[in-house]
Amino acid sequence: MMGRVGRALVLHEFLERTRDRWVLVISVLFALLASAVSLYGQSADAEFAKLTGPSLVTLVSLFIPLVAMVLSHDAIVGERERNTLGLLLSLPVSRLEVVVAKFVGRALALGVAVVAGLGMVALVSDGAGAGSLAKLAGPTLLLGLSFLSIGMLISACTRRQVAAASAVVITWFALVFFFDLGLLALLVVSDGAISQQVIANLVIANPAGLYRIVMMQAFAGPDVLGDLGMTASLPGPIVVAGIWAAWLLLPSIVSGAILSKARMS
Amino acid sequence: MKTLATRGVFVRFGEVDALDDVSIVLEAGQATMLAGPNGAGKTTLLKVLLGLVRPDHGAFEVDGERALVDNDWKRRIGYLPEAVAFSENLSGQQQLRFFARARGVSREHTEAVLERVGLHAARRRAVRGYSRGMRQRLGLAVAILTKPDLLILDEPTAGLDQEGLAVLWSVLEEWREQQRMVLVSTHDLALMERRVDQMCVLQKGRVLAQGSANDLRMAARLPHHVWFEVGDDDARVRLLCEAMEKWGKGRVERGEGIVGVEVAPEAILELMEIQSGFPGTVRGLRVEEPTLDIVYDRLLGVA
């Protein structure tokens, strides 16, 4: 249960983040690109789930992790560097509650960015594909929250904001771009020594990979890997939920533990 | 709360003893100044009281009873950090309202506090447009928002103009009048001297001296300057100077219409007796105490 300070901090974080220029720029860019994808799909006269949906998935898997980590990378290190962390922790609040409140406040700001982006798509597509958009919303939020949590961890581990920003960019490239490429390279180099199942498990261990797989299943059906000629099978919804929960909670919990142990020298 | 004391507080950061056996006592109705060079441990001591740094050893007492630095304690403290900063994107009013919500303070009182620190007109401007002095005033507003029992101010005079200083002095006065406590860490000794009741000088994490400004002057054992305004009778003035030189406890210097003696504070009364033997020659006198900066330098072994 969050106390008075925690609730006040949630609102403060939400207000502060929704006024951040970088967050606004990336969120607006995401909304514009998502709308453009939707308009392109309409002009091609394609079914939403076949062209617009998968294109949106690609766009979301690039943008939302970036929005989320831009939102969270300065959560702790920014306060430390601005010399505001001491003032915040002088309030009657536990350090873990500070991390949770910061996470929730920034998650709300992320929610606004996601809803605004997908809402724009719904508007320009005149309601077509509303069902597909609804399918997209939940996993998109989970993807964003996972990266928000990773950003919080980076923020707790770093001593300078510029180091946190660099770490966020590196993490984004690593998880969103290079992870899949690396697995592909591994598959080729191993020449079949590593099974497709292992590779599939590694793909879903990455939140960006998990998101893509979940959305592919949502748009193309549960046997999407088989349809692609792969022999690997995907885990059931409980395992998927467990992976999401792990990404969402573990980095934030570790962030809270790091802040709790930190000595404000 | 009548007294607050730290007993033998010890804090080590890596290889450095940030605080070494620090014991200080704060009393209700008094303002205490913490002084010392950079790295002396002033801010660390404040952070111990704020619960931001847990000491390796030592205790903390309120009214003679052992106490914990917990959330109940934090509710009784107001804090102005050194070089206070806020989220640049929000207005002064939004910042203060956050702290008000966090501490359960009404909106009306929040507005009144903004008025008191002179930020009411600028309350809707984003903090990024605030000067350093305005940020400092906003920090002071945050610190006094709940009328805390203990006000902890770290370098509160930094960046304040005359108007800002007047607000700060009125706050200090109010806290003393209402039998609350103030602990101020500062390098601005001359400015703060008349506003505090006692001082504590720290060096390398240890308490070097503690007491009123006069106690510290005595502890520093620095000479005072006594200036005698003398008449035109050159022979009498020469006799006076000779008597003082013969006395041998002060360095005498003579100027146009004035005789100065550098003398230890405990010898001033004797000097007065000598001058009383020359009625009519001495028309007035002024005792010049060493400034607190000089006392401080002497205590730290700088001068």
Side-chain angles (χ1 to χ4, degrees):
Chain A
M1 203 50 193
M2 205 176 279
R4 178 193 283 155
V5 182
R7 291 195 301 272
L9 187 56
V10 167
L11 180 61
H12 179 74
E13 289 291 312
F14 174 73
L15 287 175
E16 212 265 327
R17 288 293 88 193
T18 48
R19 281 160 179 76
D20 184 284
R21 285 174 198 165
W22 282 106
V23 174
L24 285 175
V25 165
I26 300 173
S27 303
V28 167
L29 197 60
F30 167 66
L32 290 175
L33 286 173
S35 306
V37 165
S38 176
L39 286 172
Y40 171 71
Q42 276 179 286
S43 67
D45 213 16
E47 211 180 298
F48 191 95
K50 289 213 169 127
L51 182 64
T52 309
S55 303
L56 277 176
V57 167
T58 306
L59 189 69
V60 163
S61 65
L62 291 178
F63 264 86
I64 292 301
L66 190 62
V67 175
M69 289 207 287
V70 167
L71 268 166
S72 60
H73 81 283
D74 66 340
I76 295 162
V77 72
E79 297 270 9
R80 206 195 298 267
E81 203 169 281
R82 286 196 305 269
N83 199 27
T84 50
L85 192 57
L87 185 57
L88 185 59
L89 296 179
S90 73
L91 293 171
V93 62
S94 74
R95 296 183 184 198
L96 187 62
E97 195 174 333
V98 166
V99 171
V100 171
K102 278 183 166 284
F103 181 84
V104 174
R106 286 162 196 245
L108 289 174
L110 176 72
V112 169
V114 169
V115 168
L118 298 184
M120 280 279 279
V121 173
L123 273 178
V124 298
S125 63
D126 227 4
S132 298
L133 278 177
K135 279 185 200 168
L136 205 64
T140 298
L141 265 178
L142 285 172
L143 173 72
L145 293 177
S146 300
F147 276 90
L148 197 74
S149 194
I150 295 168
M152 294 286 289
L153 179 59
I154 289 170
S155 192
C157 292
T158 45
R159 304 290 297 176
R160 302 290 304 271
Q161 207 169 321
V162 67
S166 308
V168 154
V169 172
I170 291 167
T171 308
W172 181 68
F173 268 108
L175 292 179
V176 173
F177 285 109
F178 297 130
F179 193 83
D180 287 358
L181 288 176
L183 291 182
L184 205 59
L186 194 65
L187 202 59
V188 172
V189 169
S190 69
D191 199 19
I194 298 173
S195 74
Q196 287 185 11
Q197 188 60 55
V198 172
I199 297 293
N201 289 343
L202 286 173
V203 167
I204 60 165
N206 171 3
L210 179 63
Y211 174 77
R212 289 188 193 116
I213 295 283
V214 166
M215 291 318 303
M216 277 166 72
Q217 280 184 315
F219 287 128
D223 296 325
V224 63
L225 292 187
D227 296 344
L228 292 170
M230 293 174 75
T231 55
S233 62
L234 292 169
I238 293 173
V239 176
V240 168
I243 297 170
W244 280 130
W247 277 111
L248 217 147
L249 296 175
L250 286 180
S252 288
I253 290 169
V254 176
S255 310
I258 290 171
L259 185 62
S260 296
K261 287 194 174 167
R263 262 184 133 183
M264 307 284 298
S265 57
Chain B
M1 182 163 65
K2 291 197 173 78
T3 61
L4 165 66
T6 65
R7 302 280 180 219
V9 169
F10 183 91
V11 174
R12 170 168 275 202
F13 293 133
E15 294 298 305
V16 180
D17 293 342
L19 292 177
D20 185 0
D21 194 24
V22 171
S23 299
I24 62 164
V25 180
L26 310 183
E27 289 180 19
Q30 288 201 347
T32 302
M33 172 162 74
L34 274 182
N38 292 332
K42 303 185 298 293
T43 299
T44 303
L45 181 57
L46 300 188
K47 286 180 175 175
V48 167
L49 291 172
L50 287 159
L52 301 177
V53 170
R54 201 170 294 134
D56 296 295
H57 303 291
F60 167 66
E61 291 173 5
V62 174
D63 295 334
E65 301 276 321
R66 212 150 200 209
L68 289 173
V69 181
D70 55 11
N71 282 346
D72 284 337
W73 169 246
K74 286 180 175 182
R75 286 188 189 94
R76 305 172 77 175
I77 303 181
Y79 174 45
L80 170 67
E82 183 181 4
V84 65
F86 297 96
S87 307
E88 299 282 309
N89 299 324
L90 300 181
S91 69
Q93 188 181 49
Q94 285 172 319
Q95 302 282 358
L96 197 58
R97 279 187 182 171
F98 156 61
F99 287 98
R101 269 192 295 271
R103 289 193 178 269
V105 175
S106 71
R107 276 199 174 196
E108 293 72 30
H109 182 65
T110 309
E111 297 300 308
V113 172
L114 274 170
E115 185 80 66
R116 175 167 190 185
V117 298
L119 284 179
H120 202 258
R123 67 190 186 282
R124 293 205 172 90
R125 270 166 53 191
V127 167
R128 82 169 75 87
Y130 278 21
S131 68
R132 191 175 173 204
M134 290 167 85
R135 287 164 197 248
Q136 194 76 351
R137 286 192 210 189
L138 185 57
L140 188 60
V142 171
I144 65 173
L145 197 58
T146 54
K147 291 206 166 189
D149 291 338
L150 171 62
L151 196 52
I152 294 180
L153 309 173
D154 199 354
E155 297 293 348
T157 54
L160 286 182
D161 57 9
Q162 283 306 313
E163 205 185 328
L165 284 174
V167 173
L168 177 63
W169 304 148
S170 79
V171 167
L172 291 183
E173 203 47 49
E174 183 186 324
W175 254 248
R176 289 159 81 188
E177 275 173 12
Q178 296 185 352
Q179 294 300 302
R180 297 195 177 99
M181 295 174 189
V182 185
L183 182 58
V184 186
S185 167
T186 186
H187 289 289
D188 217 338
L189 307 184
L191 208 54
M192 291 300 300
E193 181 187 353
R194 284 179 297 122
R195 315 286 174 177
V196 298
D197 304 283
Q198 65 159 340
M199 294 175 60
C200 175
V201 180
L202 292 175
Q203 187 183 33
K204 292 180 181 166
R206 297 185 72 95
V207 176
L208 202 62
Q210 200 171 353
S212 67
N214 281 337
D215 292 340
L216 262 56
R217 282 196 174 89
M218 295 299 280
R221 303 191 60 76
L222 278 166
H224 287 42
H225 270 96
V226 183
W227 299 101
F228 296 99
E229 195 187 320
V230 291
D232 300 333
D233 188 342
D234 191 54
R236 296 283 297 165
V237 173
R238 202 173 332 113
L239 280 174
L240 172 68
C241 291
E242 282 170 7
M244 287 172 174
E245 274 164 2
K246 200 174 161 192
W247 174 55
K249 290 187 180 173
R251 195 168 59 81
V252 183
E253 52 188 304
R254 188 178 169 186
E256 191 65 41
I258 202 158
V259 172
V261 186
E262 199 180 68
V263 63
E266 62 271 19
I268 290 176
L269 278 178
E270 278 182 57
L271 185 64
M272 293 300 117
E273 278 175 27
I274 293 171
Q275 69 88 25
S276 66
F278 295 83
T281 305
V282 176
R283 293 175 175 173
L285 69 88
R286 178 165 54 89
V287 179
E288 200 177 276
E289 295 178 316
T291 65
L292 207 51
D293 288 306
I294 295 171
V295 170
Y296 171 80
D297 284 348
R298 165 61 72 92
L299 288 170
L300 295 176
V302 177

